[in-house]
């Protein structure tokens, strides 16, 4: 069973002229789970991944696989499978031909290309010219390339972009299975909703800086929970809740109570003999937390 090594970004920094694309990014991505690398367009995701894969030299800091930079890995394709955005494949050649060239150069078994195409569901199209591939098929081919050496670490830039709902479900299952086998899986996306059901952990960057790191559930900000409640005698209801020490504001369709549990507000109303016409818990949604973290102006 392939056991992945951690991916380590340490004080990773990259400036292009006066654009700070990535600033002092320090984070460790553990094996055995799927980690989402999130941030709005231009946040610095692709630049970070390009540095990790040795395609761009950092201004300072390091990006390594268990301490080893990509360029010093003994057999890179067997260790790390990567697919970056805008992967360019020669339009006139077939998928199998593309993969065969890489497999041979890396000394992989002759069966590797077909095995990888099979894994991504492209077997039937193996001999077709890549120029005729749809966006989704190109994504799958990029993934086949990443899987070619049966690597223990997967680094995928926006792998879900361009897939149809069936493709999204398929890649979700594939990535989760890879992580369950002990591999390290890092996928980027500019949309939390796109990867929400695929990732265990999230790393969120904005303007090149780390703004949040944690389990997906850590984005569910439950300390800002609100209760929306209503009664025919709304003024009295608001007064009773206010007297119990809560901060209350009036909505068009009821009363909004800050930092409260619905059950407790229900009990207060019951004890005061006020029949309720509505009672619901409002939690800050994942997407809302994400947008707050990355700054509303950066959102799509
Ligand atoms: N080769 C380059 N030369 C100059 N600036 C660059 C270069 N590559 C990236 N940048 C800038 O660095 C910043 C980060 O870009 P990057 O492509 O890493 O973002 P991203 O998070 O991948 O965005 P997206 O979601 O759009 O893919 C942007 O401001 C971008 O314009
Ligand atoms: Mg990008």
């Amino acid at each position: 069973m392939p056991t992945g090594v951690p991916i380590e970004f340490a004080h990773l920094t990259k400036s292009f002229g006066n654009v700070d694309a990535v600033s002092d990014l320090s984070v460790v991505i553990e094996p055995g789970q799927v980690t989402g690398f999130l941030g709005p367009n231009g946040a610095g995701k692709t630049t970070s991944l390009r540095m990790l894969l040795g395609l761009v030299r950092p201004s300072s800091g390091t990006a390594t696989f268990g301490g080893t930079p990509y360029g010093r890995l003994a057999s890179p394709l067997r260790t790390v499978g990567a697919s970056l955005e805008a992967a360019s494949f020669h339009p006139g050649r077939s998928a199998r031909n593309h993969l065969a060239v890489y497999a041979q150069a890396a000394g992989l078994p002759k069966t590797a290309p077909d095995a990888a195409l099979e894994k991504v569901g492209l077997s039937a199209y193996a001999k077709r010219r890549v120029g005729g591939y749809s966006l989704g098929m190109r994504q799958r081919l990029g993934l086949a390339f990443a899987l070619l050496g049966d690597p223990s670490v997967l680094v995928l830039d926006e792998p879900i972009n361009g897939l149809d709902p069936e493709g999204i479900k398929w890649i979700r299952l594939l990535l989760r299975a890879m992580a369950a086998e002990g591999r390290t899986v890092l996928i980027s996306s500019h949309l939390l909703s796109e990867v929400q059901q695929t990732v265990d952990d999230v790393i969120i960057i904005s303007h090149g800086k780390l703004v949040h790191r944690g389990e997906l559930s850590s984005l569910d900000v439950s300390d800002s929970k609100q209760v929306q409640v209503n009664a025919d005698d709304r003024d009295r209801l608001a007064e009773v809740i206010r007297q119990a020490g809560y901060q209350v504001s009036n909505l068009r369709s009821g009363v909004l109570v800050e930092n409260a549990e619905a059950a407790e507000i229900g009990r207060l109303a019951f004890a005061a003999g006020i029949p309720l016409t509505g009672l619901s818990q409002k939690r800050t949604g994942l997407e809302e937390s994400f947008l707050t973290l990355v700054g509303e102006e950066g959102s799509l």
Side-chain angles (χ1 to χ4, degrees):
M1 213 41 90
T3 306
V5 289
I7 295 169
E8 297 170 5
F9 294 128
H11 304 291
L12 192 64
T13 301
K14 180 69 190 182
S15 312
F16 294 106
N18 55 8
V19 176
D20 294 330
V22 180
S23 302
D24 197 27
L25 178 64
S26 292
V27 72
V28 177
I29 294 111
E30 300 291 346
Q33 59 182 28
V34 181
T35 303
F37 190 33
L38 304 172
N41 290 137
K45 304 178 298 291
T46 299
T47 304
S48 301
L49 299 182
R50 289 176 68 84
M51 288 192 277
L52 177 64
L53 298 165
L55 299 169
V56 169
R57 186 191 296 272
S59 301
S60 60
T62 57
T64 62
F65 298 91
T68 309
Y70 188 84
R72 276 199 241 128
L73 290 172
S75 49
L77 284 195
R78 290 178 202 266
T79 312
V80 181
S83 158
L84 291 188
E85 64 182 357
S88 55
F89 295 104
H90 191 291
R93 285 160 47 196
S94 71
R96 181 188 279 146
N97 179 262
H98 267 284
L99 298 185
V101 169
Y102 288 111
Q104 196 182 5
L108 300 174
K110 276 204 159 53
T111 51
D114 281 334
L117 289 169
E118 165 94 49
K119 262 190 213 150
V120 303
L122 279 182
S123 294
Y125 306 94
K127 291 189 206 156
R128 200 191 275 193
R129 293 169 64 242
V130 172
Y133 273 25
S134 68
L135 177 57
M137 286 161 79
R138 264 169 226 271
Q139 280 283 31
R140 287 176 190 242
L141 179 55
L143 191 60
F145 172 63
L147 297 176
L148 198 57
D150 193 23
S152 56
V153 181
L154 268 184
V155 177
L156 307 173
D157 197 14
E158 307 264 358
I160 296 176
N161 203 5
L163 294 181
D164 56 19
E166 191 212 340
I168 293 175
K169 194 171 161 198
W170 161 80
I171 199 168
R172 178 173 294 154
L173 292 173
L174 180 76
L175 296 178
R176 297 217 57 85
M178 304 276 294
E181 286 170 359
R183 298 177 215 243
T184 312
V185 183
L186 179 64
I187 61 171
S188 79
S189 175
H190 58 280
L191 290 174
L192 173 66
S193 53
E194 189 178 72
V195 297
Q196 198 170 317
Q197 286 170 279
T198 310
V199 303
D200 305 293
D201 241 39
V202 289
I203 293 167
I204 301 175
I205 61 169
S206 177
H207 301 293
K209 295 195 180 73
L210 182 70
V211 293
H212 185 81
R213 168 70 212 258
E215 288 176 15
L216 184 63
S217 57
S218 65
L219 284 180
D220 218 340
V221 191
S222 35
D223 59 351
S224 69
K225 55 202 174 176
Q226 301 173 318
V227 171
Q228 190 174 336
V229 61
N230 204 8
D232 289 333
D233 191 349
R234 200 187 291 173
D235 290 344
R236 203 172 142 242
L237 173 68
E239 190 49 37
V240 164
I241 298 171
R242 198 175 287 119
Q243 277 176 9
Y246 288 98
Q247 194 189 323
V248 169
S249 54
N250 287 312
L251 299 174
R252 208 155 43 84
S253 54
V255 174
L256 188 70
V257 191
E258 300 294 336
N259 293 314
E261 290 290 344
E264 180 54 26
I265 299 303
R267 271 194 290 276
L268 279 175
F270 182 76
I274 305 171
L276 295 181
T277 55
L279 176 67
S280 63
Q281 186 85 46
K282 288 180 145 269
R283 289 190 194 275
T284 313
L286 289 179
E287 196 69 35
E288 210 172 307
S289 308
F290 176 62
L291 294 180
T292 307
L293 283 166
V294 299
E296 220 75 33
E297 88 283 5
S299 64
L300 292 174

